[in-house]
C-alpha cells in the first residue's frame, strides 16, 4: 500500500486521540515481557545457587567430620577424658586449615570441647544444641545453628570407641556468612549475564517491531481492523460471487453471493474454508490459472441450475504466485437486460419500418396531387387504407395480446419495406392471456425468428420472397410456426444453431438471437424446435404451455 493511501485512510479511520504507535507498543510489551521473565529466572537461579552452595558446603563439612572421626588418635584422646590434653587440637587444626573449614570441634559424650579454632574455648561446652542426634542416635547429618562463631552450616558425625560405643561427636562447620559471600560473587556474574540478555532482548524487540511494521505496510492495529471490517463488508455486499484460493488450490474466501449461487448459503462457511476448490466446484478452472498464471475473462460456466459469466485472475505477492480469485455473475440478469434491449429494438425497428413505409406513401400521394391526378391519389389512399386496415383488423381480431399484435404488425411493415411478403395465416388465432414473462419470451423469440426468416429469403427472386406465420392456442399450448423457403439448414447444423456464438451467417457479433430466444422460452416452460427439409426451407416451431386461467 502506498504512503498516500495510508495517509488518506488514516484521515477517515478514527478521530480519537493519537495512540501509541504499534512499533513502540511492541517494543514496550516485548521488553517488559523479557525483563519480567529474566527477573523471575534470575531470582530462581539466585536461590537455587544459594541452596546448592549451602548443600555442597554441608556435604563437604560432613565429609571432613567423618574423616576426623576415623582418626584413631582422636578417638583415643577423647576416650582418655582429658580436654586439657592438646592432642586432638594439634591433630585437627592442620586439617581445618587445609580444608578451609571455619571450625572443627571435637566433643565428648557430654559435649565438652577437645578442639576449637579458639584454644581458649577448649574444655567448655559446645554451643548450638544440635548434637543430640549424633550423641544419642549415632546419626551423621547436616544442620544449621548459631555457635560461638556465629550462624554456620555444620556436618556432624558421632565418634565411636573401639568397642563401638558413642564417646563423642565431631562437628565441622562453614559460616553462613562465608557461603553467602560466595553466592554474592556468583550473583554479580548472574546479574551481568541477565543484563546482557535483557539488552539483546530489547534490541530484538525493536527489530521485530520494525519488521512487523514493514510487513503490515506501516499500518496501525486500528487501521488493520478497519480495513478488515471494510473488506468483509464489501465482499459480503457485492452482488457478484467471489471465491479466492491460495497457491495450493484451497479456498480462502467465499462470499454470500457465491454461497447463494452454489446453493450452499445455509451451510456453515467453515465447512469450505481451507478445503480444495474442486470439493465445492468440481469444474472450476482456478487450478489452471494457478498453473499458467494467466487471467481468464468472460467465460461461461454452469453452477447447478445457473449459467454464470466468470472472470479469473491470479494473485501475486512480490512476484510470486500467491493464489487466484474468481468472480462470477448470474447470466440470468444479463439476459434479462438483453431481453429488454431486444424488445426496445423490435419496437424501434417496427416503428421505423412503419414510418418509412408511410413516408413513401405520403410522397406518392403528394406526387399524384402535384401532377393533378386527384382521382388516382384518392384511389391509392383507399387501397392503402383497406390494406392497412385489413392487417390491423386481422391482428386485433385474431390476437388478444397487444404486444404480440405490435411485434407482428411491425414485422409486416419491415418485411414489406425490405421487399419480402410476410403472410399471416387467416386461420391463426391467439385468445389466451399470457403472463408478463410469457409475453416477453414470445416477443423476443418472434422478433429473432422472423428476422432470420426475412434474411433467409431476401436473396431470392422477388416473387419467391415469402415468409409464412401461423399461430394457434387451440389445445394445451400456444403454438407459433414461422416458415420460409430460404434454402434450409444442413441437418448436421440443426442442433448447433442454438449454441451461443454459432451462426451460419457471415460477420461478427452473430449467434446470439436463437440462443437467447430458446433460453427465455425454456425459462417459462416453452420450447423452440426446427424442422428443415434440406434446401427447400426451414420451419421454426415455438410453443408455450397454457395456464389454467388462460384456457378460456
Amino acid at each position: 500500500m502506498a504512503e498516500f493511501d495510508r495517509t488518506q485512510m488514516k484521515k477517515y479511520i478514527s478521530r480519537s486521540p493519537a495512540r501509541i504507535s504499534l512499533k513502540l507498543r511492541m517494543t514496550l510489551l516485548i521488553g517488559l515481557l523479557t525483563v519480567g521473565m529474566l527477573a523471575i529466572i534470575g531470582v530462581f537461579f539466585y536461590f537455587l545457587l544459594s541452596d546448592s552452595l549451602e548443600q555442597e558446603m554441608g556435604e563437604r563439612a560432613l565429609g571432613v567430620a567423618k574423616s576426623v572421626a576415623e582418626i584413631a588418635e582422636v578417638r583415643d584422646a577423647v576416650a582418655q577424658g582429658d580436654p586439657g590434653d592438646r592432642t586432638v587440637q594439634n591433630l585437627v587444626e592442620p586439617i581445618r586449615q587445609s580444608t578451609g573449614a571455619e571450625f572443627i570441634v571435637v566433643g565428648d559424650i557430654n559435649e565438652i570441647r577437645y578442639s576449637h579454632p579458639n584454644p581458649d574455648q577448649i574444655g567448655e561446652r559446645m554451643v548450638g544444641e544440635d548434637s543430640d542426634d549424633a550423641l544419642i542416635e549415632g546419626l551423621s547429618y547436616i544442620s544449621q545453628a548459631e555457635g560461638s562463631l556465629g550462624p554456620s552450616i555444620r556436618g556432624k558425625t558421632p565418634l565411636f570407641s573401639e568397642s563401638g560405643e558413642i564417646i563423642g561427636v565431631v562437628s565441622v562447620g562453614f559460616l553462613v556468612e562465608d557461603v553467602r559471600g560466595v553466592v554474592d560473587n556468583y550473583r554479580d556474574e548472574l546479574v551481568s549475564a541477565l543484563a546482557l540478555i535483557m539488552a539483546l532482548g530489547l534490541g530484538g524487540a525493536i527489530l521485530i517491531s520494525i519488521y512487523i511494521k514493514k510487513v503490515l505496510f506501516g499500518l496501525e492495529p486500528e487501521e488493520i481492523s478497519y480495513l478488515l471490517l471494510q473488506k468483509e463488508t464489501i465482499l459480503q455486499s457485492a452482488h457478484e460471487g467471489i471465491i479466492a484460493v491460495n497457491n495450493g488450490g484451497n479456498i480462502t474466501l467465499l462470499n454470500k453471493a457465491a454461497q447463494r449461487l452454489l446453493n450452499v448459503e445455509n451451510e456453515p462457511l467453515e465447512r469450505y474454508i481451507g478445503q480444495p476448490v474442486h470439493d465445492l466446484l468440481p469444474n472450476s478452472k482456478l487450478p489452471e490459472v494457478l498453473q499458467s498464471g494467466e487471467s481468464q475473462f468472460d467465460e461461461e460456466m454452469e453452477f447447478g441450475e445457473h449459467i454464470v459469466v466468470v472472470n479469473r485472475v491470479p494473485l501475486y505477492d512480490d512476484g510470486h504466485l500467491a493464489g487466484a480469485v474468481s468472480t462470477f455473475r448470474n447470466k440470468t440478469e444479463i439476459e434479462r437486460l438483453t431481453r429488454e434491449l431486444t424488445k426496445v429494438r423490435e419496437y424501434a425497428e417496427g416503428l421505423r419500418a412503419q414510418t418509412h413505409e408511410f413516408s413513401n406513401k405520403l410522397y406518392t400521394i403528394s406526387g399524384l396531387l402535384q401532377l393533378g391526378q386527384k382521382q388516382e391519389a384518392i384511389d391509392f389512399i383507399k387501397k392503402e387504407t383497406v390494406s392497412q386496415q385489413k392487417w390491423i383488423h386481422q391482428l386485433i381480431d385474431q390476437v388478444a395480446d397487444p404486444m404480440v399484435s405490435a411485434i407482428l404488425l411491425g414485422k409486416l411493415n419491415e418485411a414489406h419495406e425490405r421487399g419480402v411478403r410476410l403472410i399471416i395465416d387467416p386461420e391463426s388465432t391467439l385468445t389466451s392471456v399470457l403472463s408478463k414473462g410469457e409475453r416477453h419470451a414470445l416477443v423476443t423469440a418472434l422478433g429473432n425468428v422472423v428476422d432470420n426468416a426475412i434474411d433467409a429469403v431476401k436473396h431470392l427472386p422477388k416473387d419467391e420472397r415469402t415468409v409464412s406465420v401461423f399461430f394457434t392456442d387451440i389445445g394445451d399450448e400456444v403454438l407459433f410456426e414461422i416458415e420460409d423457403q430460404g434454402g434450409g439448414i444442413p441437418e448436421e447444423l440443426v442442433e448447433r444453431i442454438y449454441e451461443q456464438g454459432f451462426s451460419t451467417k457471415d460477420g461478427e457479433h452473430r449467434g446470439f438471437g436463437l440462443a437467447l430466444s430458446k433460453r427465455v422460452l425454456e425459462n417459462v416452460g416453452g420450447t423452440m424446435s426446427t424442422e428443415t427439409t434440406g434446401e427447400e426451407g426451414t420451419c421454426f416451431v415455438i410453443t408455450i404451455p397454457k395456464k389454467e386461467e388462460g384456457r378460456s
Side-chain angles (χ1 to χ4, degrees), residues 340-385:
E340 296 295 331
L341 292 174
T342 300
K343 287 190 298 181
V344 172
R345 187 194 69 182
E346 297 294 342
Y347 296 153
E349 289 181 354
L351 292 174
R352 180 180 61 80
Q354 289 186 6
T355 301
H356 193 215
E357 179 70 13
F358 281 108
S359 295
N360 290 334
K361 293 173 182 179
L362 288 175
Y363 286 135
T364 302
I365 295 171
S366 175
L368 289 172
L369 292 176
Q370 291 178 17
L371 294 172
Q373 303 294 325
K374 294 183 179 180
Q375 187 59 45
E376 284 77 358
I378 292 172
D379 292 340
F380 180 77
I381 291 172
K382 288 181 179 180
K383 177 183 176 181
E384 292 300 325
T385 301

Short mmCIF file of all heavy atoms in Angstrom, two decimals, residues 340-385:
data_model
loop_
_atom_site.label_atom_id
_atom_site.label_comp_id
_atom_site.label_asym_id
_atom_site.label_seq_id
_atom_site.Cartn_x
_atom_site.Cartn_y
_atom_site.Cartn_z
N GLU A 340 -34.78 -6.98 -22.49
CA GLU A 340 -35.37 -5.65 -22.51
C GLU A 340 -34.86 -4.85 -23.71
O GLU A 340 -35.62 -4.16 -24.40
CB GLU A 340 -35.04 -4.91 -21.21
CG GLU A 340 -35.62 -5.56 -19.96
CD GLU A 340 -37.15 -5.52 -19.96
OE1 GLU A 340 -37.71 -4.59 -20.56
OE2 GLU A 340 -37.76 -6.42 -19.36
N LEU A 341 -33.55 -4.92 -23.96
CA LEU A 341 -32.98 -4.21 -25.11
C LEU A 341 -33.52 -4.76 -26.42
O LEU A 341 -33.76 -4.01 -27.37
CB LEU A 341 -31.45 -4.32 -25.08
CG LEU A 341 -30.75 -3.58 -23.94
CD1 LEU A 341 -29.26 -3.89 -23.96
CD2 LEU A 341 -30.96 -2.07 -24.06
N THR A 342 -33.73 -6.09 -26.47
CA THR A 342 -34.26 -6.70 -27.69
C THR A 342 -35.68 -6.21 -27.97
O THR A 342 -36.04 -5.90 -29.12
CB THR A 342 -34.25 -8.23 -27.56
OG1 THR A 342 -32.91 -8.66 -27.35
CG2 THR A 342 -34.80 -8.89 -28.82
N LYS A 343 -36.48 -6.12 -26.90
CA LYS A 343 -37.85 -5.63 -27.09
C LYS A 343 -37.84 -4.19 -27.60
O LYS A 343 -38.58 -3.83 -28.52
CB LYS A 343 -38.61 -5.69 -25.77
CG LYS A 343 -38.97 -7.10 -25.36
CD LYS A 343 -39.92 -7.09 -24.19
CE LYS A 343 -39.26 -6.45 -22.98
NZ LYS A 343 -40.14 -6.42 -21.81
N VAL A 344 -36.99 -3.38 -26.98
CA VAL A 344 -36.91 -1.99 -27.42
C VAL A 344 -36.48 -1.92 -28.88
O VAL A 344 -37.01 -1.14 -29.68
CB VAL A 344 -35.91 -1.21 -26.53
CG1 VAL A 344 -35.67 0.18 -27.09
CG2 VAL A 344 -36.44 -1.12 -25.11
N ARG A 345 -35.50 -2.77 -29.24
CA ARG A 345 -35.03 -2.76 -30.62
C ARG A 345 -36.15 -3.19 -31.57
O ARG A 345 -36.33 -2.62 -32.64
CB ARG A 345 -33.84 -3.72 -30.76
CG ARG A 345 -33.18 -3.65 -32.13
CD ARG A 345 -32.24 -4.82 -32.34
NE ARG A 345 -33.04 -6.06 -32.46
CZ ARG A 345 -32.51 -7.26 -32.62
NH1 ARG A 345 -31.21 -7.41 -32.64
NH2 ARG A 345 -33.29 -8.33 -32.72
N GLU A 346 -36.92 -4.24 -31.17
CA GLU A 346 -38.01 -4.70 -32.03
C GLU A 346 -39.06 -3.61 -32.23
O GLU A 346 -39.53 -3.37 -33.35
CB GLU A 346 -38.66 -5.94 -31.41
CG GLU A 346 -37.74 -7.14 -31.27
CD GLU A 346 -37.32 -7.70 -32.61
OE1 GLU A 346 -37.98 -7.40 -33.62
OE2 GLU A 346 -36.31 -8.43 -32.64
N TYR A 347 -39.42 -2.95 -31.13
CA TYR A 347 -40.40 -1.87 -31.25
C TYR A 347 -39.86 -0.75 -32.13
O TYR A 347 -40.57 -0.20 -32.98
CB TYR A 347 -40.76 -1.32 -29.87
CG TYR A 347 -41.44 -2.32 -28.98
CD1 TYR A 347 -41.33 -2.22 -27.60
CD2 TYR A 347 -42.20 -3.36 -29.50
CE1 TYR A 347 -41.95 -3.14 -26.76
CE2 TYR A 347 -42.82 -4.28 -28.68
CZ TYR A 347 -42.69 -4.17 -27.32
OH TYR A 347 -43.29 -5.08 -26.50
N ALA A 348 -38.59 -0.41 -31.90
CA ALA A 348 -38.00 0.68 -32.68
C ALA A 348 -37.95 0.34 -34.16
O ALA A 348 -38.25 1.18 -35.03
CB ALA A 348 -36.59 0.99 -32.16
N GLU A 349 -37.56 -0.90 -34.48
CA GLU A 349 -37.50 -1.29 -35.89
C GLU A 349 -38.88 -1.32 -36.52
O GLU A 349 -39.06 -0.94 -37.68
CB GLU A 349 -36.83 -2.66 -36.01
CG GLU A 349 -35.34 -2.64 -35.71
CD GLU A 349 -34.69 -4.00 -35.87
OE1 GLU A 349 -35.45 -4.97 -36.10
OE2 GLU A 349 -33.46 -4.08 -35.77
N GLY A 350 -39.87 -1.77 -35.73
CA GLY A 350 -41.23 -1.77 -36.25
C GLY A 350 -41.72 -0.36 -36.54
O GLY A 350 -42.31 -0.10 -37.60
N LEU A 351 -41.48 0.54 -35.60
CA LEU A 351 -41.89 1.94 -35.82
C LEU A 351 -41.14 2.56 -36.98
O LEU A 351 -41.70 3.32 -37.79
CB LEU A 351 -41.65 2.75 -34.54
CG LEU A 351 -42.56 2.39 -33.35
CD1 LEU A 351 -42.11 3.17 -32.12
CD2 LEU A 351 -44.02 2.71 -33.67
N ARG A 352 -39.83 2.23 -37.08
CA ARG A 352 -39.05 2.79 -38.19
C ARG A 352 -39.58 2.29 -39.53
O ARG A 352 -39.71 3.05 -40.50
CB ARG A 352 -37.59 2.37 -38.03
CG ARG A 352 -36.67 2.90 -39.12
CD ARG A 352 -35.25 2.46 -38.91
NE ARG A 352 -35.15 1.01 -38.92
CZ ARG A 352 -35.11 0.28 -40.05
NH1 ARG A 352 -35.16 0.87 -41.22
NH2 ARG A 352 -35.03 -1.03 -39.98
N ALA A 353 -39.92 0.99 -39.56
CA ALA A 353 -40.45 0.43 -40.81
C ALA A 353 -41.77 1.10 -41.18
O ALA A 353 -42.01 1.46 -42.34
CB ALA A 353 -40.64 -1.07 -40.66
N GLN A 354 -42.65 1.25 -40.17
CA GLN A 354 -43.93 1.91 -40.44
C GLN A 354 -43.72 3.35 -40.90
O GLN A 354 -44.36 3.82 -41.86
CB GLN A 354 -44.81 1.89 -39.19
CG GLN A 354 -45.34 0.51 -38.84
CD GLN A 354 -46.31 0.58 -37.69
OE1 GLN A 354 -46.66 1.65 -37.21
NE2 GLN A 354 -46.75 -0.59 -37.23
N THR A 355 -42.82 4.06 -40.21
CA THR A 355 -42.56 5.46 -40.57
C THR A 355 -42.04 5.57 -42.00
O THR A 355 -42.49 6.42 -42.79
CB THR A 355 -41.54 6.07 -39.60
OG1 THR A 355 -42.06 5.98 -38.28
CG2 THR A 355 -41.27 7.52 -39.94
N HIS A 356 -41.10 4.67 -42.33
CA HIS A 356 -40.54 4.71 -43.68
C HIS A 356 -41.58 4.38 -44.73
O HIS A 356 -41.68 5.03 -45.78
CB HIS A 356 -39.37 3.73 -43.77
CG HIS A 356 -38.55 3.91 -45.00
ND1 HIS A 356 -37.97 2.86 -45.65
CD2 HIS A 356 -38.21 5.03 -45.71
CE1 HIS A 356 -37.31 3.31 -46.71
NE2 HIS A 356 -37.44 4.63 -46.77
N GLU A 357 -42.41 3.36 -44.42
CA GLU A 357 -43.45 2.94 -45.37
C GLU A 357 -44.46 4.06 -45.59
O GLU A 357 -44.81 4.39 -46.73
CB GLU A 357 -44.14 1.69 -44.81
CG GLU A 357 -45.27 1.15 -45.68
CD GLU A 357 -44.74 0.53 -46.97
OE1 GLU A 357 -43.53 0.29 -47.09
OE2 GLU A 357 -45.56 0.31 -47.88
N PHE A 358 -44.91 4.67 -44.49
CA PHE A 358 -45.89 5.74 -44.65
C PHE A 358 -45.28 6.97 -45.29
O PHE A 358 -45.97 7.71 -46.01
CB PHE A 358 -46.51 6.10 -43.29
CG PHE A 358 -47.57 5.13 -42.86
CD1 PHE A 358 -47.35 4.23 -41.83
CD2 PHE A 358 -48.81 5.11 -43.50
CE1 PHE A 358 -48.32 3.34 -41.44
CE2 PHE A 358 -49.79 4.22 -43.10
CZ PHE A 358 -49.56 3.33 -42.07
N SER A 359 -44.00 7.21 -45.05
CA SER A 359 -43.35 8.33 -45.73
C SER A 359 -43.35 8.13 -47.23
O SER A 359 -43.64 9.07 -48.00
CB SER A 359 -41.90 8.48 -45.22
OG SER A 359 -41.89 8.83 -43.85
N ASN A 360 -43.05 6.91 -47.68
CA ASN A 360 -43.08 6.62 -49.12
C ASN A 360 -44.47 6.83 -49.70
O ASN A 360 -44.64 7.37 -50.80
CB ASN A 360 -42.61 5.19 -49.38
CG ASN A 360 -41.13 5.03 -49.10
OD1 ASN A 360 -40.37 5.99 -49.17
ND2 ASN A 360 -40.72 3.80 -48.78
N LYS A 361 -45.45 6.38 -48.93
CA LYS A 361 -46.84 6.53 -49.42
C LYS A 361 -47.25 8.00 -49.47
O LYS A 361 -47.94 8.44 -50.39
CB LYS A 361 -47.79 5.74 -48.53
CG LYS A 361 -47.57 4.23 -48.65
CD LYS A 361 -48.39 3.46 -47.65
CE LYS A 361 -48.11 1.95 -47.78
NZ LYS A 361 -48.87 1.17 -46.79
N LEU A 362 -46.83 8.76 -48.45
CA LEU A 362 -47.15 10.19 -48.46
C LEU A 362 -46.48 10.89 -49.64
O LEU A 362 -47.09 11.78 -50.28
CB LEU A 362 -46.71 10.83 -47.14
CG LEU A 362 -47.55 10.47 -45.91
CD1 LEU A 362 -46.92 11.08 -44.66
CD2 LEU A 362 -48.98 11.00 -46.06
N TYR A 363 -45.24 10.50 -49.94
CA TYR A 363 -44.56 11.08 -51.10
C TYR A 363 -45.30 10.73 -52.40
O TYR A 363 -45.42 11.55 -53.32
CB TYR A 363 -43.12 10.59 -51.17
CG TYR A 363 -42.21 11.22 -50.13
CD1 TYR A 363 -41.33 10.42 -49.40
CD2 TYR A 363 -42.26 12.59 -49.88
CE1 TYR A 363 -40.50 10.97 -48.43
CE2 TYR A 363 -41.43 13.14 -48.91
CZ TYR A 363 -40.55 12.35 -48.19
OH TYR A 363 -39.74 12.90 -47.26
N THR A 364 -45.81 9.49 -52.47
CA THR A 364 -46.57 9.07 -53.65
C THR A 364 -47.83 9.90 -53.80
O THR A 364 -48.17 10.39 -54.89
CB THR A 364 -46.92 7.58 -53.56
OG1 THR A 364 -45.71 6.82 -53.42
CG2 THR A 364 -47.68 7.11 -54.79
N ILE A 365 -48.55 10.04 -52.68
CA ILE A 365 -49.79 10.84 -52.72
C ILE A 365 -49.48 12.28 -53.08
O ILE A 365 -50.18 12.91 -53.90
CB ILE A 365 -50.50 10.76 -51.36
CG1 ILE A 365 -50.97 9.32 -51.09
CG2 ILE A 365 -51.67 11.73 -51.30
CD1 ILE A 365 -51.47 9.10 -49.69
N SER A 366 -48.41 12.85 -52.50
CA SER A 366 -48.03 14.23 -52.80
C SER A 366 -47.70 14.39 -54.28
O SER A 366 -48.09 15.39 -54.93
CB SER A 366 -46.82 14.62 -51.94
OG SER A 366 -46.36 15.91 -52.28
N GLY A 367 -46.99 13.39 -54.84
CA GLY A 367 -46.64 13.48 -56.26
C GLY A 367 -47.86 13.44 -57.15
O GLY A 367 -47.96 14.19 -58.15
N LEU A 368 -48.82 12.56 -56.82
CA LEU A 368 -50.06 12.48 -57.62
C LEU A 368 -50.83 13.79 -57.58
O LEU A 368 -51.37 14.25 -58.60
CB LEU A 368 -50.91 11.32 -57.10
CG LEU A 368 -50.39 9.90 -57.39
CD1 LEU A 368 -51.23 8.86 -56.65
CD2 LEU A 368 -50.39 9.62 -58.90
N LEU A 369 -50.88 14.38 -56.37
CA LEU A 369 -51.62 15.64 -56.25
C LEU A 369 -50.93 16.75 -57.04
O LEU A 369 -51.60 17.59 -57.67
CB LEU A 369 -51.75 16.03 -54.78
CG LEU A 369 -52.65 15.12 -53.92
CD1 LEU A 369 -52.60 15.56 -52.46
CD2 LEU A 369 -54.10 15.17 -54.44
N GLN A 370 -49.59 16.77 -56.99
CA GLN A 370 -48.87 17.79 -57.74
C GLN A 370 -49.04 17.62 -59.25
O GLN A 370 -49.01 18.60 -60.00
CB GLN A 370 -47.38 17.75 -57.38
CG GLN A 370 -47.09 18.22 -55.95
CD GLN A 370 -45.61 18.13 -55.61
OE1 GLN A 370 -44.78 18.02 -56.52
NE2 GLN A 370 -45.30 18.17 -54.32
N LEU A 371 -49.26 16.41 -59.70
CA LEU A 371 -49.48 16.14 -61.12
C LEU A 371 -50.94 16.34 -61.52
O LEU A 371 -51.30 16.14 -62.69
CB LEU A 371 -49.04 14.71 -61.46
CG LEU A 371 -47.53 14.43 -61.35
CD1 LEU A 371 -47.25 12.95 -61.53
CD2 LEU A 371 -46.77 15.25 -62.40
N GLY A 372 -51.78 16.65 -60.55
CA GLY A 372 -53.18 16.89 -60.84
C GLY A 372 -54.00 15.62 -60.92
O GLY A 372 -55.16 15.65 -61.34
N GLN A 373 -53.41 14.49 -60.49
CA GLN A 373 -54.12 13.21 -60.56
C GLN A 373 -54.84 12.97 -59.23
O GLN A 373 -54.51 12.09 -58.44
CB GLN A 373 -53.11 12.09 -60.84
CG GLN A 373 -52.28 12.27 -62.09
CD GLN A 373 -53.13 12.20 -63.35
OE1 GLN A 373 -54.12 11.45 -63.42
NE2 GLN A 373 -52.77 13.01 -64.35
N LYS A 374 -55.89 13.76 -59.01
CA LYS A 374 -56.61 13.68 -57.75
C LYS A 374 -57.31 12.34 -57.57
O LYS A 374 -57.30 11.75 -56.49
CB LYS A 374 -57.62 14.81 -57.65
CG LYS A 374 -56.98 16.20 -57.58
CD LYS A 374 -58.05 17.27 -57.42
CE LYS A 374 -57.40 18.67 -57.34
NZ LYS A 374 -58.43 19.73 -57.19
N GLN A 375 -57.94 11.87 -58.64
CA GLN A 375 -58.69 10.62 -58.53
C GLN A 375 -57.75 9.45 -58.23
O GLN A 375 -58.04 8.58 -57.41
CB GLN A 375 -59.47 10.35 -59.81
CG GLN A 375 -60.41 9.14 -59.72
CD GLN A 375 -61.45 9.29 -58.60
OE1 GLN A 375 -62.07 10.36 -58.46
NE2 GLN A 375 -61.63 8.25 -57.78
N GLU A 376 -56.58 9.46 -58.95
CA GLU A 376 -55.61 8.39 -58.70
C GLU A 376 -55.11 8.46 -57.26
O GLU A 376 -54.89 7.43 -56.60
CB GLU A 376 -54.43 8.50 -59.66
CG GLU A 376 -54.71 8.05 -61.07
CD GLU A 376 -55.50 9.09 -61.88
OE1 GLU A 376 -55.84 10.15 -61.28
OE2 GLU A 376 -55.78 8.86 -63.04
N ALA A 377 -54.95 9.66 -56.73
CA ALA A 377 -54.50 9.81 -55.35
C ALA A 377 -55.55 9.27 -54.39
O ALA A 377 -55.23 8.59 -53.41
CB ALA A 377 -54.21 11.28 -55.04
N ILE A 378 -56.82 9.58 -54.68
CA ILE A 378 -57.90 9.09 -53.82
C ILE A 378 -57.96 7.57 -53.87
O ILE A 378 -58.11 6.90 -52.83
CB ILE A 378 -59.24 9.71 -54.25
CG1 ILE A 378 -59.23 11.23 -53.96
CG2 ILE A 378 -60.41 9.04 -53.52
CD1 ILE A 378 -60.43 11.97 -54.53
N ASP A 379 -57.85 7.00 -55.08
CA ASP A 379 -57.90 5.55 -55.21
C ASP A 379 -56.73 4.89 -54.46
O ASP A 379 -56.89 3.83 -53.83
CB ASP A 379 -57.86 5.15 -56.69
CG ASP A 379 -59.12 5.58 -57.43
OD1 ASP A 379 -60.14 5.82 -56.74
OD2 ASP A 379 -59.07 5.70 -58.66
N PHE A 380 -55.55 5.51 -54.55
CA PHE A 380 -54.37 4.97 -53.87
C PHE A 380 -54.55 4.98 -52.34
O PHE A 380 -54.22 4.03 -51.64
CB PHE A 380 -53.13 5.78 -54.25
CG PHE A 380 -51.87 5.30 -53.61
CD1 PHE A 380 -51.20 4.18 -54.08
CD2 PHE A 380 -51.33 5.97 -52.51
CE1 PHE A 380 -50.04 3.74 -53.46
CE2 PHE A 380 -50.17 5.54 -51.90
CZ PHE A 380 -49.51 4.40 -52.38
N ILE A 381 -55.14 6.10 -51.87
CA ILE A 381 -55.38 6.21 -50.42
C ILE A 381 -56.36 5.15 -49.97
O ILE A 381 -56.16 4.49 -48.92
CB ILE A 381 -55.89 7.62 -50.07
CG1 ILE A 381 -54.78 8.65 -50.29
CG2 ILE A 381 -56.39 7.67 -48.62
CD1 ILE A 381 -55.26 10.09 -50.15
N LYS A 382 -57.44 4.94 -50.76
CA LYS A 382 -58.43 3.93 -50.39
C LYS A 382 -57.81 2.53 -50.36
O LYS A 382 -58.06 1.74 -49.47
CB LYS A 382 -59.60 3.97 -51.37
CG LYS A 382 -60.49 5.19 -51.23
CD LYS A 382 -61.64 5.13 -52.23
CE LYS A 382 -62.57 6.34 -52.06
NZ LYS A 382 -63.70 6.29 -53.03
N LYS A 383 -56.98 2.27 -51.39
CA LYS A 383 -56.37 0.95 -51.48
C LYS A 383 -55.44 0.68 -50.28
O LYS A 383 -55.49 -0.37 -49.65
CB LYS A 383 -55.59 0.85 -52.79
CG LYS A 383 -54.85 -0.47 -52.94
CD LYS A 383 -54.05 -0.48 -54.23
CE LYS A 383 -53.23 -1.77 -54.33
NZ LYS A 383 -52.41 -1.81 -55.56
N GLU A 384 -54.60 1.67 -49.97
CA GLU A 384 -53.67 1.50 -48.85
C GLU A 384 -54.41 1.43 -47.52
O GLU A 384 -54.02 0.69 -46.62
CB GLU A 384 -52.65 2.65 -48.83
CG GLU A 384 -51.69 2.64 -49.99
CD GLU A 384 -50.87 1.36 -50.03
OE1 GLU A 384 -50.53 0.82 -48.94
OE2 GLU A 384 -50.57 0.86 -51.13
N THR A 385 -55.49 2.20 -47.42
CA THR A 385 -56.28 2.17 -46.19
C THR A 385 -56.89 0.79 -45.98
O THR A 385 -56.86 0.24 -44.87
CB THR A 385 -57.38 3.23 -46.22
OG1 THR A 385 -56.77 4.52 -46.38
CG2 THR A 385 -58.20 3.21 -44.95
#
